[in-house]
Amino acid sequence: DMTLMNLSRLLTHPERFIQPVSQEILHEESDEPELILEAYLQQALSIVNELDILKGQIMTTEEQINMTLDAIRNRLLYINTLLSVASLCVAMGSFIGSLFGMNLTNPLEDDGGAFMRVILWTVVSMVGLWAILSWIFYEAANLSPSKS
């Protein structure tokens, strides 16, 4: 079958390919095309292997990029939560201020230093609550498997 694939030999020695071709000539002439086809097969297999390796490298790079994006997303969520905790603390101070801002009679109205005590207590409690909640959230976010 492969004897007639050797076109250069078919052009230079056409007398060898007159039908019926002997088995000896068929066997002799089929070696070169078979070797060429085997060489191309080896090249094709080599290219397929290189493509498999390249595909693996691309998938590894994609996984690394996804892990990096996940880490950045987690950091943004952490910052967002800290800002939410800070706004909760400011809201608590605003709530205390709104309670004292109502037009209700209050025994602290006649005390001269009550205003400064309320302001100081409100600021200290806001900062303290923010520090405590931030520490709790930091500890919860940084739990390692050995601590659980």
Side-chain angles (χ1 to χ4, degrees):
D1 290 339
M2 290 196 198
T3 304
L4 298 177
M5 292 179 70
N6 195 345
L7 297 180
S8 60
R9 184 77 64 137
L10 188 61
L11 289 174
T12 57
H13 298 59
E15 67 278 354
R16 296 189 73 170
F17 298 101
I18 298 175
Q19 298 294 332
V21 181
S22 69
Q23 287 296 331
E24 181 182 306
I25 292 176
L26 284 176
H27 181 68
E28 181 183 313
E29 295 294 332
S30 68
D31 289 342
E32 189 176 339
E34 188 175 337
L35 291 174
I36 291 172
L37 287 175
E38 283 181 17
Y40 284 139
L41 177 65
Q42 291 298 323
Q43 284 181 344
L45 290 175
S46 173
I47 290 171
V48 167
N49 288 336
E50 288 178 17
L51 288 176
D52 284 342
I53 291 171
L54 188 60
K55 182 181 176 183
Q57 290 174 345
I58 289 171
M59 291 177 71
T60 302
T61 304
E62 182 181 0
E63 289 173 5
Q64 287 176 341
I65 289 171
N66 284 336
M67 286 189 285
T68 303
L69 290 175
D70 287 343
I72 292 170
R73 188 178 316 121
N74 289 342
R75 188 175 298 150
L76 288 173
L77 288 171
Y78 179 76
I79 291 170
N80 187 22
T81 304
L82 286 180
L83 288 175
S84 296
V85 167
S87 65
L88 172 73
C89 295
V90 170
M92 183 200 69
S94 144
F95 175 70
I96 293 171
S98 67
L99 288 178
F100 282 100
M102 292 183 188
N103 290 331
L104 301 174
T105 56
N106 191 341
L108 293 176
E109 290 178 1
D110 297 333
D111 189 5
F115 180 75
M116 285 307 291
R117 283 194 309 264
V118 169
I119 293 290
L120 184 63
W121 181 81
T122 302
V123 169
V124 168
S125 63
M126 283 173 36
V127 170
L129 182 65
W130 181 79
I132 290 170
L133 290 176
S134 296
W135 179 78
I136 290 171
F137 182 72
Y138 176 78
E139 288 297 318
N142 291 323
L143 279 180
S144 65
S146 63
K147 288 185 178 180
S148 58

